[in-house]
Every structure is written in structure tokens, then in C-alpha cells.
Amino acid sequence: MALSDLNPVERNEEGIAAVLGILKQQFGERFQTGEAIRSQHAHTTTYIPTQAPDGVVFVETTPEVQEIVRACAAHRVPVIPFGIGSSLEGHTNAPGGGVSVDTSRMNRILAVNPQDLDCTVEPGVTREDLNRHLRDTGLFFPIDPGANASLGGMAATRANAVRYGTMRENVLSLTAVMADGEAVTTGKRAKKSSAGYDLTRLLVGSEGTLGIITSLTLRLQGIPQAISGGVCPFPSLEAACNTVIATIQMGIPVARIELVNALQMRAMKAYSKLDYPESPCLFVEFHGSDAGVAEQAETFGMIAEEQGGGSFLWTSVAEERTKLWKARHDAYWSSLTLRPGAKGLSTDVCVPISRLAECVTETEADIAEMGLIAPIVGHAGDGNFHVLVLMDTDSPEEIALAEKFVARLNMRAIAMEGTCTGEHGVGQGKIGFLRHELGHGVDVMRTIKQALDPFNIMNPGKILPGARQ
Amino acid sequence: MALSDLNPVERNEEGIAAVLGILKQQFGERFQTGEAIRSQHAHTTTYIPTQAPDGVVFVETTPEVQEIVRACAAHRVPVIPFGIGSSLEGHTNAPGGGVSVDTSRMNRILAVNPQDLDCTVEPGVTREDLNRHLRDTGLFFPIDPGANASLGGMAATRANAVRYGTMRENVLSLTAVMADGEAVTTGKRAKKSSAGYDLTRLLVGSEGTLGIITSLTLRLQGIPQAISGGVCPFPSLEAACNTVIATIQMGIPVARIELVNALQMRAMKAYSKLDYPESPCLFVEFHGSDAGVAEQAETFGMIAEEQGGGSFLWTSVAEERTKLWKARHDAYWSSLTLRPGAKGLSTDVCVPISRLAECVTETEADIAEMGLIAPIVGHAGDGNFHVLVLMDTDSPEEIALAEKFVARLNMRAIAMEGTCTGEHGVGQGKIGFLRHELGHGVDVMRTIKQALDPFNIMNPGKILPGARQ
């Protein structure tokens, strides 16, 4: 069964025709219906089939988004928000057609409040844009999903960083256009509030199914006095995972701690031309004062040594650190060299950290048994890891095998008290696992969805299983 | 207009009679209808009038809570959860009568997972109970609202701590009995998840209006190697607030930083027999390694000195620190000595930290102008502060004056991009300010409430303004 069958959305041809006419008139050249642009605005990153929208609007303001949603609401036509298209679970697909709302031109930084360590941005601003803009303030935005994603998209799927939390903790408030076309601002700029239901957190991670985010107020962090990072090899995945557990338990405020398995190290070593060992490694980074960072690194080194960790490639020089993290960011591209011509399917799960070694080890065994080529990287401090299955996306047999692997991985994570997605979101790809994980909670979600979007126009066919589930 | 008029709830006499009969039969001695017990289970902490429930059930399990909610749903009768009764905004009142669900006997610690730094508890467990239980594990639960509240109640109103975040960040998942009697578990034990809408955060802070929390999975922290704390006097509130701003901006991971104004210092000094100055003070506490704590304290000392801070009463001895924080915890009791015979009305707001000095200074001036006796304490690191208005709660004039003061305080905070409640919740007391703060967001909240509780039986008359607003 194809993923889109889990939650089919019927096309409303008459409504779509009416809306296309309205948008053409209102947005002129900023409304596009060419096939190439429509396809680019659907899901393009994995084997999930591309389901293109009927048109794309390049919006520039919140009132424009309101206009579009009102037209779509009046004619019962789907609206699908689009950031930069880096999502991995089919979020940008239009299974019932409709209008893609491209927010890439909503890329203004509206306010920076250095005293309050916050800023307000439009959703099309990317993480790198924001950090470039902040450079002279001594502040930075710490969440790095491993890609230069749009901040709106990151909020919609709830991306992460171990020391600084996820988007959940780092979005102070937001403005979203709801299914009735009203723009709702979920809070002011106070650091905390108990003023009613937490609409900020309800919209963060809602994947465009409840509202379209049109501005975000984000927490910022002071750039630390010292940053130091390194790569440490381990004799086994288990030893690496045990080091992570001990590091977190000791309360070392590690800024990043990333697990990379042996296969992934081999690929990175070749691709990034670095002198790395071909064994499981941890990539770590510490932030703090000079003394604090030195102390953290020393304690970490002792823990790693107890677990049989090898000699630590260590640096506090910015250029070397950049090289190291560039290698980690290029994990995806390096992996592709393991099977030239293949595409990658990136899937993620998250388990309690005590189960991480077990879950990763069983998954490696499963990969071997199923004959897959699939390197593993993990945001290990959170118990979150990604598997990149290298596959021929034109082969039905390989798709079936990959889906079987993903299903086993997800059920394994859920059985270990974990979740079917740590940070990629549900989209279309994880719909089938939600009830296994949350039971009746899925019905509560559906009740909320139906109440806030009675005509099911907001990114339909995502998150919630249809009647067949 | 009385607060309960903002959201009146009609009594359903027939339904109430039916439910009382059912509960008497099912719960025997654990169901109480005596007037004293009923009154104790209504709001008792401020001048907000006591509105007693018709009966109180001392529940012991989740299925019992489900039984009660099902009976109440069938007969359209209100259900009001009750923890320890320390809430300040009328949350436990029963404006339309109904059944109080006392969770104090649900006080088991169900699981402690030291490797994952989490535990699962029933809602009647108090913060102190939990920390006593954890003592030998080297872990602790850091959220301290300044009272030994029940953890269920703390989650329902979203209490806080600057370094470790609020209950929002520290509840990993929870189980709640919803209005249809179904028990929903909002997540597993993974540290992060993007699996659909964030039901955990929706229920945290929902004040019993969407569901009754029957278990909580909480994040724990390792007990720091070193703790050091102290009290520092300042020449003005502004100097104290500027010290807080600089401390947060420098990224010093202060564990607590509490503002106490001169009047409150005078009361505490007399009550706790401590040799404190009678000027605005900051109470601070640092957690970390020996070296880390020393470094934090030194940097903080330099910042305070630049702002004219006086000599620092400093200690890393546990007993002295306990004495210091006991004085801070006893702020309420000490304040009462400022006007013998009076009762205290504690109200809270929260503003962006850059506006804290301005907001507190204007509030002090307002207190003087209105002729009130009202000391101020604040969780300054978050921009959150409390005012305790000492009043004769039998005097309509004093109640009117206090309400006027609270209204001005709330509108001031909202005008400064803040919130009408940082951690006490909305209850009945803050209903009138919610729309000023959140506009159309209130309608979104109401849509969610109506969808999840169509017969308005879950703690009705709280959070959401009625038709008159």
C-alpha cells in the first residue's frame, strides 16, 4: 500500500479551478502554475512519490497568506505551506492538489532584542541567514538540524540541539494564519506564561495542518567565550553509547554529541578527505568559559577512556572545528558515495537514552540481515538517531524492502518506550505508526484538527491516519 | 462585578443528585459531602469567594478517575481536580457545583529511571516527597514554585525555575483522563518527539479544563557537585534588575535569581531573624562543578559591583543556604506581619527582562499612590514577579481597590509585551485579561475546549471568558 493511501485526499476540481482564477488575478507573476515549479514544491527528497500542488504563490506578507487561506476556505481547497523543501516525510506533498504557499520571500528579520535574548523573524529566514545577521550582536540561534532549513519549516516539524533544546523550547511565540483566515499571535515576549492553553507549542510541530506560520519570536543565546570540539573513536557502538549516557548523567552541559557508525565514518573519511578512524565515533562540542570548556573536555575524556575510547582528535581552533562539523553536515552527501547512483531515504526515531545502544545495535544487525547499505548518525544526547537507506527509488522491490526496514525500526523504537520520529515529523511517511505509539491520543489530535480546520484544507493528508487506520 | 460573573456556570441540580448517588455507592467512605471538607476543597488562599463542590472523592487510581468522569459526563456535572489546594487564582472553585477529585492519595512514585534522568509519578506526589525519594540516586527534581505543591497541580498551572525551565520543559509526558472518560497517554519516554500535536504541552497549563492528570513522567537533574548561594543588596530596584539582565546576557547559568524589594526584605528580616539589609536584594544560587560555581559567583560579583551592589552575604555551606532559602520561602508568612490580621492576595505577571526594572518600579509607585501595603518578590531571571497585596478580605472597598490594582498591574505587563500570568495560571482571577493579551487566540482556545469537552464538565468557569467578555 502506498503511503498516500494511508490518508487519501479527494480532489475538488471545481474549487481548485475557482481558486486558481482568484490567485492569478490577485498575485499576477507571483502565482505560478508551470509544471517545473509545481514539482519542485512537492516532496522531492526521498522515494515518497511527488504529489504536486496546482499552483504556487510566492507570498510576502501575513495579510497575503490570509487572503489565500480565505479563498481556499471558501472553495474547500487545500493549502500547503512551503519553506525550503528540505523536509523528509512528504510534508510538502499535495495529495488532493491545492495551493502551495511558498514563504521563501518572507525573509525579513523583524526585530532583534539583544537585552531580552530574543528576535522576531519571518518564516522564510534560514538558520544561516539569521546567524549571519546576528554576528555583531554577540548572540546566536543554536538550533541546527544539520541543514540550512527555513525557520518556519523547522518550527513546523520541531527540530533540535541537545544543550539548547528543540524548537519547542526555542520558539517564544508565533503568528499563524488559521483555517478561517484569522491571524493568531500565540503570546507576547515574556520568557514564560501560564495564560491559557499553550498555542505556541500546539502549532510548533503541527506541520502546517492547523495553521501557516507567518512570524516567529525565537530565543537567542550568547556566543560562548570558548568553544572546543573533537572526534573520539570507540571500539563498539555500545561503548560510544555508554559514553553518551555517562556524559549526560554526569550533567556535562555538552553542546553537541553526535554518534556516527563505522560505515558512515568510512564514507565521511573518503568524502571529506579527513584522517578519521573507521570505527564508531562521537563528535562532541563544548561551549562555555575557557575554564569551563577545559573542565568539560577533561571529564568527557575520562569517561571516554573508561569505555575504551581511542585517542581524541581535539581542537579549539575555529577553522578545524568548521572542517569537522562540515564533515558531519556532509554525512548525507558522503553516504551517497557508498552506492553511486542510489538515492537516500533518511528516517529517524528516538528512544530513552538507556536504550540507545540496544536500539542502534539491533538496527545495525537488521540492516546487515536485510542486505541494505544504510549508515547511521545520531543526535545521541537525546537518544535520537537517523538511518540513511541507500536505494534505487525506481525499484518497487527496493521500496518494499526499505518500507519493511522502516516499519521494523519504528516498531522497535516504540517497543523501547521511544517515538517513531524525533525531529523529522510525521508527514505522510510516519502516519502508519502514530496509533501504535499514542493510541487514543491520535483521536484527541483528530478532534483538535477537526475543530480548528473543519473543512480539512490545511495541509490535508498529513500526520493523522485516515479512516483506513 | 465579581470574578465568578466573568464566566458563570449554571447548576444542574438533577444531574448533581444523580452523580452524588452513584459516587456514594461506588466510593463509600472515600466520598465525602460534609461541609468542612467541601469548603476545604474550594478556593481558600485569597479573597476570591469560596465556591464549594457538592462532594469530594479521594481517588486512588486512574480507572477510578475514569469512572467519576464517565458518571459526570453522563449527567453533565462538573469535575474539578484538586491537588494540595495551594493555587492562587480560584482553580479549585466549583462555580456550578459538582465533584472535586482529590488526588492526594495518588501519591506513588511509579518508576525512577536513573540512566534516563526521568521518573514517573502520580499527581498527588509533592515536590518534597519526590526529592526525598530520590535522595540516594544522586538526582533531584529542580522545579520549586516556592511551596510544597503537588506535582499534578504544578503541571496543571505550569510552575517554574530559571536554569531548569518550567513544568512545560520538565514534563516529558503524562496520562490524563479526558472529558469522555478515556485515559490518554501523551507520549513515551524519549527526550524529544515530533510525533503529531504536542498534547503534553497542551495539557500542561490547561488547569483541569481539558483533562485530569493521573500520572506524569518528569525529567530529573543530577545533583550538582557544588552549590553556592548568597544575598546581595542594591541601592535601587533598577540596579538589582540591571544586574539580572547582565547576568542572563552573559550566559551565566544561574540556578536561581530572585528579586526581593525593600519592604519584603524588612518583613523577612524581622520574621526570619536574619541580619539582612533593608534594601532591594537579589537571592542567587549557582550549581555546577567546584570550579564552575566559583567562576559563576565571581563573574556575578563583578556585575553586581558595577551596579553598586553592596557586600555579598555568601555561602556554600548547606545549612546556611537552607536558612537563606527558607527565609525566601517564608516570604508569604513574613509579609503577613506587615499588617497583622490581614490576608494576602498574591498576583503574578511576567515581562521581557529588559522591561523588568520599569515594570517593577512603576508598580512600586502605583502601590504607594494607592496606599496599599504590598511587598514584591520576583523570579527575576524570567522577568516574572509577584505582588502580595495585604488586605482585609471582608471589606468590599479593599477588595475593589485590590482588583483595581491587579487590573492596572496586568494591563501594564501586557503593554510591556508581557503576560498577565507567569506561573499562577488564569483560573478565575485572570479571565478578564486573557483577551487583552491574546486577542483571537482566546477563540482558538475556546474552539479546542468545546471540541474536547463538549458538555463543559471539566473544571468549568476557568481560563476562558464567558459570553459577557
Side-chain angles (χ1 to χ4, degrees):
Chain A
M1 188 165 67
L3 285 171
S4 53
D5 290 345
L6 286 175
N7 198 347
V9 181
E10 266 183 47
R11 280 185 68 83
N12 165 12
E13 298 296 353
E14 206 175 316
I16 289 170
V19 165
L20 294 188
I22 294 168
L23 297 179
K24 181 79 217 154
Q25 194 163 19
Q26 283 182 323
F27 290 93
E29 285 303 302
R30 288 198 285 126
F31 177 59
Q32 297 281 329
T33 54
E35 200 187 322
I37 281 193
R38 291 194 293 110
S39 295
Q40 283 162 18
H41 282 77
H43 180 81
T44 55
T45 52
T46 74
Y47 78 92
I48 296 177
T50 298
Q51 297 169 315
D54 294 285
V56 179
V57 193
F58 292 85
V59 292
E60 292 176 359
T61 65
T62 301
E64 285 182 357
V65 177
Q66 293 181 275
E67 263 182 69
I68 296 166
V69 172
R70 285 198 178 113
C72 287
H75 295 279
R76 313 283 192 262
V77 167
V79 200
I80 303 108
F82 186 92
I84 209 163
S86 57
S87 93
L88 293 160
E89 295 293 355
H91 296 95
T92 56
N93 261 344
V99 179
S100 174
V101 175
D102 183 311
T103 59
S104 60
R105 296 189 193 177
M106 290 187 74
N107 60 0
R108 280 158 293 203
I109 291 164
L110 303 173
V112 177
N113 303 297
Q115 281 208 307
D116 295 314
L117 303 177
D118 71 41
C119 68
T120 300
V121 302
E122 290 186 330
V125 174
T126 67
R127 180 181 65 79
E128 289 177 6
D129 288 343
L130 177 59
N131 281 332
R132 243 189 316 272
H133 181 91
L134 292 172
R135 209 164 26 191
D136 297 335
T137 63
L139 302 173
F140 79 116
F141 182 69
I143 311 293
D144 174 5
N148 186 27
S150 72
L151 292 161
M154 285 167 64
T157 61
R158 219 184 271 146
N160 97 106
V162 56
R163 175 173 176 153
Y164 303 102
T166 71
M167 287 300 276
R168 175 192 293 156
E169 288 78 31
N170 287 285
V171 178
L172 266 180
S173 71
L174 55 82
T175 298
V177 175
M178 308 300 284
D180 59 0
E182 291 281 342
V184 169
T185 298
T186 58
K188 303 270 180 184
R189 289 200 302 112
K191 267 218 188 144
K192 65 183 194 190
S193 171
S194 315
Y197 306 152
D198 191 340
L199 299 181
T200 309
R201 255 48 61 173
L202 182 65
L203 283 155
V204 169
S206 67
E207 305 181 10
T209 66
L210 299 178
I212 298 179
I213 296 171
T214 60
S215 88
L216 296 146
T217 297
L218 304 170
R219 279 174 196 255
L220 301 174
Q221 301 286 335
I223 293 175
Q225 184 192 345
I227 299 178
S228 150
V231 177
C232 184
F234 289 87
S236 67
L237 267 177
E238 202 172 350
C241 289
N242 287 338
T243 302
V244 175
I245 294 174
T247 302
I248 300 293
Q249 276 185 328
M250 294 278 289
I252 301 175
V254 60
R256 317 199 212 194
I257 185 161
E258 302 271 309
L259 177 71
V260 179
N261 82 341
L263 181 61
Q264 181 67 67
M265 284 305 298
R266 174 143 61 91
M268 279 163 67
K269 187 179 169 171
Y271 185 85
S272 301
K273 313 259 180 303
L274 289 167
D275 188 23
Y276 287 158
E278 283 186 27
S279 58
C281 282
L282 291 177
F283 283 55
V284 294
E285 189 167 285
F286 302 110
H287 293 180
S289 63
D290 287 322
V293 160
E295 191 180 38
Q296 291 176 44
E298 194 190 344
T299 314
F300 175 80
M302 276 166 21
I303 295 169
E305 203 182 314
E306 268 175 37
Q307 294 292 337
S311 67
F312 210 148
L313 304 168
W314 193 255
T315 180
S316 53
V317 180
E319 297 79 59
E320 288 180 32
R321 232 177 34 242
T322 305
K323 206 166 149 193
L324 185 157
W325 288 108
K326 180 155 186 348
R328 168 64 188 85
H329 278 164
D330 286 343
Y332 176 81
W333 302 109
S334 71
S335 297
L336 295 181
T337 63
L338 292 170
R339 186 179 168 188
K343 274 186 87 169
L345 160 69
S346 176
T347 187
D348 94 303
V349 296
C350 187
V351 293
I353 202 168
S354 65
R355 311 297 294 269
L356 182 63
E358 190 185 354
C359 196
V360 174
T361 307
E362 282 188 23
T363 302
E364 262 200 345
D366 208 33
I367 290 167
E369 200 176 304
M370 294 178 80
L372 297 170
I373 302 175
I376 296 175
V377 295
H379 305 306
D382 294 321
N384 182 208
F385 67 96
H386 305 254
V387 185
L388 189 79
V389 182
L390 294 167
M391 57 191 288
D392 171 0
T393 52
D394 292 328
S395 156
E397 292 75 27
E398 292 206 16
I399 291 178
L401 195 66
E403 289 196 337
K404 189 173 159 196
F405 167 75
V406 168
R408 288 162 63 116
L409 172 61
N410 279 278
M411 296 308 281
R412 182 181 305 124
I414 292 169
M416 291 183 184
E417 296 186 82
T419 174
C420 67
T421 170
E423 59 179 14
H424 291 179
V426 178
Q428 296 178 313
K430 295 294 175 80
I431 285 180
F433 307 105
L434 208 60
R435 190 172 291 279
H436 291 290
E437 182 175 331
L438 294 168
H440 184 59
V442 174
D443 301 318
V444 175
M445 290 181 195
R446 192 196 309 279
T447 302
I448 293 169
K449 166 74 172 171
Q450 285 170 346
L452 292 177
D453 180 21
F455 305 120
N456 194 27
I457 63 165
M458 306 303 278
N459 207 1
K462 315 298 160 58
I463 298 185
L464 294 164
R468 300 184 197 198
Q469 280 283 299
Chain B
M1 188 166 68
L3 285 171
S4 53
D5 290 344
L6 286 176
N7 198 346
V9 182
E10 266 183 47
R11 280 184 69 82
N12 164 12
E13 298 296 352
E14 206 175 314
I16 290 170
V19 165
L20 295 188
I22 293 167
L23 297 179
K24 181 80 218 154
Q25 195 164 17
Q26 283 182 321
F27 290 93
E29 286 303 302
R30 286 198 284 128
F31 177 60
Q32 297 281 329
T33 53
E35 200 187 323
I37 282 191
R38 289 195 295 111
S39 295
Q40 283 162 19
H41 282 76
H43 180 81
T44 55
T45 52
T46 74
Y47 78 93
I48 296 177
T50 299
Q51 297 169 314
D54 293 286
V56 179
V57 193
F58 292 86
V59 292
E60 292 175 359
T61 65
T62 301
E64 285 182 359
V65 177
Q66 293 182 273
E67 264 182 67
I68 296 166
V69 172
R70 286 198 176 112
C72 286
H75 296 277
R76 313 285 193 259
V77 167
V79 199
I80 303 108
F82 186 92
I84 211 164
S86 56
S87 93
L88 294 160
E89 296 292 354
H91 296 94
T92 56
N93 261 344
V99 179
S100 173
V101 175
D102 182 311
T103 59
S104 60
R105 296 190 193 177
M106 290 186 74
N107 59 1
R108 280 158 292 202
I109 292 164
L110 302 173
V112 177
N113 304 297
Q115 281 208 308
D116 295 313
L117 304 177
D118 71 41
C119 68
T120 301
V121 302
E122 290 186 330
V125 174
T126 67
R127 181 181 63 80
E128 289 177 6
D129 288 343
L130 177 58
N131 281 331
R132 244 192 314 273
H133 182 90
L134 292 172
R135 208 162 29 190
D136 297 335
T137 63
L139 301 173
F140 78 118
F141 182 69
I143 313 292
D144 174 5
N148 186 27
S150 72
L151 292 161
M154 285 166 64
T157 60
R158 220 183 272 145
N160 96 105
V162 57
R163 175 173 178 152
Y164 303 103
T166 71
M167 286 300 276
R168 175 193 293 157
E169 286 78 31
N170 287 283
V171 178
L172 267 180
S173 70
L174 53 83
T175 299
V177 175
M178 308 299 286
D180 60 0
E182 291 281 340
V184 169
T185 299
T186 58
K188 302 271 179 183
R189 289 201 301 113
K191 268 218 188 146
K192 65 182 194 190
S193 171
S194 316
Y197 307 153
D198 191 341
L199 299 181
T200 309
R201 255 49 60 174
L202 182 65
L203 283 155
V204 169
S206 67
E207 305 181 11
T209 65
L210 299 179
I212 298 178
I213 296 170
T214 61
S215 87
L216 296 146
T217 297
L218 303 169
R219 278 175 197 254
L220 301 174
Q221 302 285 335
I223 293 175
Q225 183 192 344
I227 300 179
S228 152
V231 177
C232 185
F234 288 87
S236 67
L237 267 176
E238 203 173 350
C241 289
N242 286 338
T243 301
V244 175
I245 294 175
T247 303
I248 300 294
Q249 276 185 329
M250 293 277 291
I252 302 176
V254 60
R256 317 198 211 194
I257 185 159
E258 302 272 310
L259 177 71
V260 179
N261 82 342
L263 180 61
Q264 181 67 65
M265 284 306 296
R266 174 143 62 89
M268 279 163 65
K269 187 178 169 172
Y271 185 85
S272 301
K273 313 259 179 305
L274 289 168
D275 187 22
Y276 287 158
E278 283 187 26
S279 58
C281 282
L282 291 177
F283 284 55
V284 293
E285 190 167 287
F286 302 111
H287 293 179
S289 64
D290 287 320
V293 161
E295 190 180 38
Q296 291 175 45
E298 194 190 346
T299 314
F300 175 81
M302 276 163 25
I303 296 169
E305 203 182 314
E306 268 175 37
Q307 293 291 336
S311 68
F312 209 147
L313 304 168
W314 193 255
T315 179
S316 53
V317 180
E319 297 79 60
E320 287 179 36
R321 230 177 37 241
T322 305
K323 207 166 150 191
L324 183 158
W325 288 107
K326 182 159 185 344
R328 168 64 188 85
H329 277 163
D330 285 343
Y332 176 82
W333 302 109
S334 71
S335 297
L336 295 182
T337 63
L338 292 170
R339 185 178 169 190
K343 274 185 87 169
L345 160 69
S346 175
T347 188
D348 94 304
V349 296
C350 187
V351 293
I353 202 168
S354 64
R355 311 298 294 268
L356 183 63
E358 189 184 355
C359 196
V360 174
T361 308
E362 283 188 22
T363 302
E364 262 200 346
D366 208 34
I367 290 167
E369 201 176 303
M370 293 179 80
L372 296 171
I373 302 175
I376 296 175
V377 295
H379 305 306
D382 294 321
N384 181 209
F385 68 94
H386 304 255
V387 185
L388 190 78
V389 181
L390 294 167
M391 58 191 286
D392 172 0
T393 52
D394 292 329
S395 155
E397 292 76 26
E398 293 206 16
I399 290 177
L401 195 67
E403 288 196 338
K404 189 173 161 197
F405 167 76
V406 168
R408 288 162 63 117
L409 172 62
N410 279 278
M411 295 308 281
R412 182 180 307 123
I414 292 169
M416 291 183 185
E417 297 187 83
T419 174
C420 66
T421 170
E423 58 177 16
H424 290 178
V426 178
Q428 296 177 313
K430 296 291 175 81
I431 285 180
F433 307 106
L434 208 59
R435 190 172 289 280
H436 292 289
E437 182 174 330
L438 294 168
H440 185 59
V442 174
D443 302 318
V444 175
M445 290 182 195
R446 192 195 310 278
T447 302
I448 293 169
K449 166 73 172 172
Q450 284 171 346
L452 292 177
D453 180 20
F455 306 119
N456 194 26
I457 63 166
M458 306 304 277
N459 207 2
K462 315 297 160 60
I463 298 185
L464 293 164
R468 300 185 197 199
Q469 280 284 300

